[in-house]
Amino acid sequence: MKIAILGAMPEEITPLLETLKEYQTINYANNTYYLAKYKNHELIIAYSKIGKVNSTLSATIMIEKFKSEILLFTGVAGAFNPDLEIGDLIYATKLVQYDLDITAFGHPLGYVPGNEIFIKTDDKLNCLALEVAKELDIKLQSGIIATGDEFICNESKKVKIREIFNADACEMEGASVALVCDALKIPCLILRSMSDKAGEKAEFDFDEFVEKSAKISANFVLKICEKL
């Protein structure tokens, strides 16, 4: 099986490459894609660069050019849900673009004609993630992830987004990746480890915990690959 593993930053895929050790490098469309073998699977690994546009481009390339059959997103996020602590894992049952705004025309925030507000992820992959969490004795929470082109480090913005969408976490790529996968009929899992709590001084927590949190998510994704 061809499995795409996508992160947004180098820190989010470096643990994978360090574990795999041997891989082929392909430069394409101003990015680098890493091809490796793992447990009878062909892995296509990349970091998209931060943001919805970059992640849309990378996800599409992984599916259309490299023929990925499944896409697993690994990375970090800011916690909205007070039950989530730094280092905790969450998988998205559905995602929303909180900054998609044509409310001036009477539409709800996060909606544009032709798309749903919430994009669902793959139930089978989500169940597999829960199985892996149980085997590893790791806490794994499900929830709604809000995506937008802004690093949230403001308590009032955090509260507003959570109230509108009932979001448990926020990040900058998941909803756009899920949208690509939904359109192209590719099962996807969006997995995030908490690097901060998205409120005041979140940027300082992010700098301190991003690498540790990214490793938690990346190692978990490899365990999922073993089960596929």
Side-chain angles (χ1 to χ4, degrees), residues 9 12 75-88 90 150-155 158 168-172 192-214:
M9 301 178 295
E12 293 172 333
V76 298
F80 279 4
N81 189 324
D83 292 335
L84 286 168
E85 299 294 337
I86 291 174
D88 284 353
I90 187 172
E150 178 183 1
F151 180 81
I152 301 297
C153 53
N154 179 286
E155 199 66 36
K158 170 182 173 178
D168 296 283
C170 70
E171 35 85 304
M172 300 178 68
R192 294 286 191 168
S193 179
M194 300 302 106
S195 59
D196 59 86
K197 292 197 172 185
E200 305 300 336
K201 299 183 179 179
E203 65 272 30
F204 299 107
D205 286 338
F206 179 85
D207 285 341
E208 182 177 354
F209 295 109
V210 60
E211 289 190 17
K212 182 179 178 181
S213 294

Side-chain angles (χ1 to χ4, degrees), residues 152-171:
I152 301 297
C153 53
N154 179 286
E155 199 66 36
S156 62
K157 288 181 180 179
K158 170 182 173 178
V159 169
K160 180 182 177 182
I161 296 167
R162 180 160 168 76
E163 285 180 349
I164 294 172
F165 300 109
N166 196 29
D168 296 283
C170 70
E171 35 85 304

Side-chain angles (χ1 to χ4, degrees), residues 94-111:
K94 54 186 180 179
L95 302 101
V96 60
Q97 297 182 68
Y98 68 78
D99 60 349
L100 187 55
D101 188 347
I102 57 167
T103 55
F105 299 97
H107 295 296
L109 192 65
Y111 172 81

Side-chain angles (χ1 to χ4, degrees), residues 10-221:
E11 294 91 341
E12 293 172 333
I13 68 163
T14 295
L16 298 170
L17 300 178
E18 289 176 345
T19 298
L20 294 166
K21 293 183 174 62
E22 294 184 7
Y23 46 84
Q24 178 187 358
T25 300
I26 294 178
N27 294 313
Y28 183 78
N30 296 322
N31 206 354
T32 303
Y33 296 83
Y34 304 89
L35 311 185
K37 301 282 188 180
Y38 187 73
K39 304 294 182 181
N40 298 318
H41 298 304
E42 295 179 43
L43 303 186
I44 304 97
I45 301 170
Y47 73 89
S48 60
K49 295 172 281 192
I50 293 167
K52 290 191 293 181
V53 173
N54 284 324
S55 58
T56 298
L57 175 62
S58 295
T60 303
I61 287 170
M62 291 173 117
I63 295 166
E64 292 289 287
K65 178 176 173 60
F66 293 104
K67 307 303 178 185
S68 302
E69 301 166 79
I70 282 175
L71 192 148
L72 310 176
F73 196 103
T74 175
V76 298
F80 279 4
N81 189 324
D83 292 335
L84 286 168
E85 299 294 337
I86 291 174
D88 284 353
L89 281 172
I90 187 172
Y91 70 87
T93 53
K94 54 186 180 179
L95 302 101
V96 60
Q97 297 182 68
Y98 68 78
D99 60 349
L100 187 55
D101 188 347
I102 57 167
T103 55
F105 299 97
H107 295 296
L109 192 65
Y111 172 81
V112 292
N115 287 352
E116 301 291 333
I117 293 177
F118 291 98
I119 309 149
K120 294 181 179 179
T121 53
D122 186 73
D123 289 336
K124 290 182 180 179
L125 286 176
N126 292 340
C127 288
L128 185 58
L130 288 171
E131 287 178 27
V132 170
K134 187 175 180 180
E135 287 183 12
L136 296 176
D137 194 26
I138 291 176
K139 175 186 173 184
L140 175 64
Q141 183 167 319
S142 64
I144 297 170
I145 292 181
T147 301
D149 282 320
E150 178 183 1
F151 180 81
I152 301 297
C153 53
N154 179 286
E155 199 66 36
S156 62
K157 288 181 180 179
K158 170 182 173 178
V159 169
K160 180 182 177 182
I161 296 167
R162 180 160 168 76
E163 285 180 349
I164 294 172
F165 300 109
N166 196 29
D168 296 283
C170 70
E171 35 85 304
M172 300 178 68
E173 298 84 22
S176 50
V177 170
L179 184 65
V180 168
C181 291
D182 182 67
L184 297 176
K185 309 303 179 190
I186 297 295
C188 77
L189 171 75
I190 308 294
L191 184 73
R192 294 286 191 168
S193 179
M194 300 302 106
S195 59
D196 59 86
K197 292 197 172 185
E200 305 300 336
K201 299 183 179 179
E203 65 272 30
F204 299 107
D205 286 338
F206 179 85
D207 285 341
E208 182 177 354
F209 295 109
V210 60
E211 289 190 17
K212 182 179 178 181
S213 294
K215 284 180 182 178
I216 293 170
S217 184
N219 291 337
F220 195 94
V221 160

